[in-house]
Amino acid sequence: TCEQAEANEYDLLVIGGGSGGLACAKEAAQFGRKVAVLDYVEPSPQGTKWGLGGTCVNVGCIPKKLMHQAALLGSALKDAQHYGWNIAQPVHHTWSLMAQAVQNYVKSLNWGHRVQLQDKKVKYFNMKGSFSDPYTIRGLTKAGKETVVTAENIVIATGGRPKYPTHIAGALEYGITSDDLFWLKKSPGKTLVVGASYVSLECAGFLTGIGLDTTVMMRSIPLRGFDQQMASLVTEHMESYGTKFLKRCFPTKVEKLESNRLQVTWKNTDLGTEETDSFDTVMWAVGRAPDTEALNLEAVGVKTNSETGKIVVDASEATSVPHIYAIGDITEGRPELTPTAIAAGKLLAQRLFGQSSELMDYDNVPTTVFTPLEYGCVGLSEEMADLGALQFHLIQLHALSLNVLRKDLYVMYCFQVVCLREREQRILGLHFIGPNAGEVIQGFALGIKCGATYPQLMKTIGIHPTCAEEITKLHITKRSGLDATVTGC
């Protein structure tokens, strides 16, 4: 059956009910416009599916942070006895209890998004959308029922999905991705995480933290695109806390054994050897790919980048077709982050329907990698400053303090500031590794947005005792060759 909507029934139609799409739709509805959202989750190759809200809510930031928190609590329990708490050791973690709590919380968020759309009178279609002409979207339900929707303006916000290395035998049949990990009912057991992305390191970090035998396989460098000195400190810390690393290795095949375990064969490029081991779970974290295939973009002339498959947009998020826009992870050259998608979505709605001309500013966007020891940063890395041929200072501080009451454990934290060498010494980048890095960097992000300089930072008084106060003591430049490690309170 096919229900034909009236001519341009909606002022705005958003394809994709994730962070960016929902923010854009709700903002447009505030202006009294007629708005609809199409959202459909294609099950993962392993059959995992979820509700409204996109990657962040269902298989990204939210369940990740909750499982990271579970791992931090495990560490705190081990420390607690040194602070006088009487806790029977060793402490044991039950995956199914954690998973149920996380999954119930995510489902409550799905419901909340449905209610918000209803309250704001945004029409929600649980359908897979594709273009039939520049103003018309054909929506298909799971049952195969078709609805045709027309709109004056269309926003594409379908995001991305994890990549599978399909050239590796057994990868697709036996592997999982982050799309599946958070919805597993049973513990993944001994796990191999393949990849060196932040997704890989975060997942390996919390799996180790809840007591699972976890190995990361990396082909080359960890955290590509992040400051490499900081990235290596993150992986060093993970190693010291029990995550195993197979460096400069790449998998060649995955086979299922009679025991139901997965046997992985890989090449070690340094030694030129072939090695093998068996795992309960193999998780691929080798990057994400844009979800554009089903959209039929060619039919309406929306240009994509031939290498990445992402949609090419200008500063106003406009595609090559005048009334069609794209926001979030689907767009070329934009950070793949929930807050940027939300901000871009809101600003787009304000420009379309609220007489605004304000564009999204993608400079100095702060972010944090939630590895066991968190890494937060804003602005340029040392490598990016080098690429820009800037005259800059790299000012560092590494602190190793003994965990107050545990003599066997070091707490490490580290600051790094990239600032211009010229007189004003404007701060170009700020990096912090330590507890609660996201909370620390969020405040500094405002300072950097306001053009903070190194002398201003030096005049800032620290809050004692904190890790964050150490930034006010930064004075050793990398060029000086002096040791930037400090001890003491």
Side-chain angles (χ1 to χ4, degrees):
T1 62
C2 177
E3 302 162 14
Q4 172 66 53
E6 298 155 32
N8 294 354
E9 188 184 349
Y10 293 96
D11 297 309
L12 178 69
L13 174 66
V14 177
I15 310 172
S19 309
L22 291 174
C24 186
K26 288 187 285 191
E27 190 71 15
Q30 312 265 56
F31 292 105
R33 297 306 182 121
K34 202 169 178 202
V35 184
V37 171
L38 260 81
D39 188 62
Y40 185 83
V41 179
E42 194 66 56
S44 77
Q46 299 302 336
T48 311
K49 50 188 189 295
W50 50 87
L52 182 64
T55 300
C56 171
V57 166
N58 294 283
V59 288
C61 326
I62 301 301
K64 171 271 299 286
K65 186 77 185 283
L66 292 169
M67 291 192 180
H68 170 62
Q69 180 59 21
L72 293 182
L73 285 169
S75 294
L77 282 174
K78 287 181 193 133
D79 289 350
Q81 56 183 337
H82 299 278
Y83 288 80
W85 288 100
N86 195 357
I87 292 167
Q89 300 290 334
V91 290
H92 179 70
H93 182 268
T94 308
W95 173 278
S96 56
L97 282 175
M98 172 189 71
Q100 196 57 65
V102 168
Q103 289 157 20
N104 288 346
Y105 179 66
V106 168
K107 284 173 184 167
S108 78
L109 296 179
N110 298 147
W111 177 248
H113 283 303
R114 298 274 304 254
V115 170
Q116 278 180 21
L117 291 182
Q118 228 167 354
D119 288 349
K120 292 185 164 54
K121 301 188 169 47
V122 174
K123 176 75 176 153
Y124 165 61
F125 295 100
N126 182 203
M127 294 178 184
K128 191 166 191 171
S130 67
F131 282 93
S132 46
D133 75 43
Y135 292 92
T136 309
I137 295 293
R138 182 172 159 267
L140 209 59
T141 66
K142 196 167 97 177
K145 183 170 179 267
E146 188 180 285
T147 302
V148 174
V149 189
T150 59
E152 286 293 318
N153 300 282
I154 296 172
V155 173
I156 306 166
T158 50
R161 297 290 290 266
K163 282 189 216 168
Y164 267 90
T166 46
H167 63 283
I168 297 170
L172 195 61
E173 298 93 306
Y174 307 126
I176 66 165
T177 67
S178 56
D179 275 0
D180 310 293
L181 180 68
F182 305 110
W183 292 91
L184 294 177
K185 296 272 188 285
K186 292 205 323 253
S187 168
K190 181 183 174 185
T191 303
L192 174 68
V193 186
V194 183
S197 60
Y198 77 90
V199 176
S200 168
L201 298 188
E202 286 179 339
C203 293
F206 70 67
L207 291 174
T208 304
I210 60 172
L212 299 178
D213 181 342
T214 311
T215 303
V216 175
M217 187 181 290
M218 304 195 308
R219 188 189 55 193
S220 57
I221 59 168
L223 298 178
R224 188 179 300 280
F226 289 88
D227 189 279
Q228 282 304 294
Q229 189 170 359
M230 294 308 230
S232 60
L233 287 170
V234 166
T235 53
E236 275 170 36
H237 175 268
M238 286 178 70
E239 281 187 279
S240 72
Y241 269 70
T243 306
K244 301 179 187 116
F245 281 83
L246 290 166
K247 292 173 185 168
R248 296 183 49 76
C249 293
F250 63 91
T252 52
K253 62 178 173 187
V254 182
E255 299 160 296
K256 195 162 210 169
L257 301 171
E258 275 178 27
S259 63
N260 262 349
R261 293 195 99 188
L262 302 174
Q263 183 166 287
V264 182
T265 307
W266 67 89
K267 286 250 169 69
N268 182 320
T269 52
D270 279 343
L271 305 173
T273 54
E274 188 172 83
E275 293 162 28
T276 178
D277 195 3
S278 61
F279 302 88
D280 297 307
T281 301
V282 175
M283 182 182 132
W284 305 106
V286 292
R288 297 177 66 82
D291 209 2
T292 50
E293 270 165 42
L295 290 170
N296 196 24
L297 296 177
E298 312 76 45
V300 290
V302 171
K303 286 200 172 70
T304 57
N305 178 311
S306 56
E307 280 177 41
T308 61
K310 292 190 174 196
I311 296 172
V312 179
V313 289
D314 66 11
S316 67
E317 324 297 349
T319 69
S320 52
V321 180
H323 61 280
I324 301 175
Y325 301 84
I327 53 171
D329 290 10
I330 198 76
T331 51
E332 180 58 44
R334 303 285 196 233
E336 295 186 5
L337 296 168
T338 272
T340 50
I342 292 171
K346 283 184 180 172
L347 288 168
L348 174 57
Q350 287 162 14
R351 289 194 301 275
L352 287 174
F353 307 116
Q355 284 84 53
S356 166
S357 60
E358 188 187 346
L359 297 172
M360 174 64 187
D361 178 4
Y362 289 97
D363 275 344
N364 292 325
V365 171
T367 188
T368 291
V369 180
F370 291 97
T371 35
L373 198 59
E374 299 168 14
Y375 166 31
C377 58
V378 57
L380 300 187
S381 64
E382 181 185 0
E383 289 80 12
M384 283 154 80
D386 267 336
L387 273 176
L390 297 166
Q391 295 293 304
F392 66 94
H393 282 306
L394 188 73
I395 308 164
Q396 299 171 308
L397 176 140
H398 297 246
L400 274 179
S401 63
L402 276 171
N403 184 329
V404 184
L405 299 178
R406 275 186 75 180
K407 299 293 171 267
D408 60 327
L409 205 59
Y410 278 104
V411 178
M412 180 183 79
Y413 48 98
C414 175
F415 268 110
Q416 183 169 292
V417 165
V418 179
C419 72
L420 283 173
R421 254 190 256 165
E422 43 85 355
R423 223 176 24 216
E424 197 190 25
Q425 294 186 308
R426 190 164 57 85
I427 298 170
L428 304 173
L430 199 150
H431 304 259
F432 170 62
I433 290 178
N436 303 300
E439 313 295 343
V440 171
I441 285 293
Q442 183 68 79
F444 285 116
L446 170 64
I448 286 178
K449 210 70 175 152
C450 296
T453 65
Y454 176 67
Q456 287 170 336
L457 183 62
M458 289 305 97
K459 286 185 184 139
T460 304
I461 303 298
I463 300 168
H464 192 66
T466 60
C467 291
E469 70 173 316
E470 297 297 334
I471 197 164
T472 63
K473 304 173 190 173
L474 279 168
H475 65 278
I476 294 173
T477 63
K478 188 175 181 181
R479 294 169 81 225
S480 72
L482 297 170
D483 185 9
T485 307
V486 298
T487 53
C489 92

